[in-house]
Amino acid sequence: MAATAKILEELYQLTVERDKDPVAGSYTNYLLDKGSDRILLKLGEQCLSLILATKNEEDEQLKNELADLLYHLTVLLYTRGLDWQEIYEELEKRRRENA
């Protein structure tokens, strides 16, 4: 697995671990406890922050917002019973179909 994908897999595994063995004060546990409404709200906020960082040409902020977005997407995937491998496979399928 490529190093860029490995971190997403590790983040996913951390989400699994937090769900099975909650840690006091964990933001991941907070999101899991609050459910999909809170996760979706945070995704929306991250998308808006990403758009503004891009518009304002703030590369450091853009990197931060992209990382936050990927984190929140990871939590969302987990709550829906999906994982990053399924997303990679979908992207591969699309690439093959549109080649």
Side-chain angles (χ1 to χ4, degrees):
M1 180 181 328
T4 53
K6 186 173 186 255
I7 190 65
L8 292 175
E9 295 296 338
E10 290 173 359
L11 188 56
Y12 187 90
Q13 284 307 311
L14 178 65
T15 305
V16 171
E17 291 169 19
R18 287 290 191 267
D19 192 31
K20 291 181 180 178
D21 188 20
V23 172
S26 163
Y27 182 62
T28 301
N29 284 126
Y30 167 79
L31 288 174
L32 292 172
D33 291 343
K34 291 295 182 181
S36 62
D37 283 351
R38 174 59 64 177
I39 296 165
L40 294 172
L41 178 64
K42 290 306 294 180
L43 279 169
E45 290 172 2
Q46 292 311 140
C47 287
L48 179 57
S49 295
L50 181 121
I51 290 166
L52 293 174
T54 302
K55 177 190 147 306
N56 296 329
E57 298 181 8
E58 297 174 2
D59 290 345
E60 198 60 36
Q61 186 67 25
L62 178 61
K63 288 189 287 186
N64 289 329
E65 300 304 341
L66 283 165
D68 287 347
L69 182 63
L70 289 171
Y71 164 76
H72 287 92
L73 285 171
T74 300
V75 176
L76 176 67
L77 285 172
Y78 174 74
T79 63
R80 294 302 304 258
L82 300 170
D83 61 36
W84 281 112
Q85 186 60 41
E86 293 174 86
I87 306 308
Y88 304 146
E89 289 168 6
E90 178 64 23
L91 290 169
E92 254 318 291
K93 180 180 124 189
R94 291 178 184 191
R95 187 175 61 92
R96 284 191 308 270
E97 289 172 355
N98 294 315

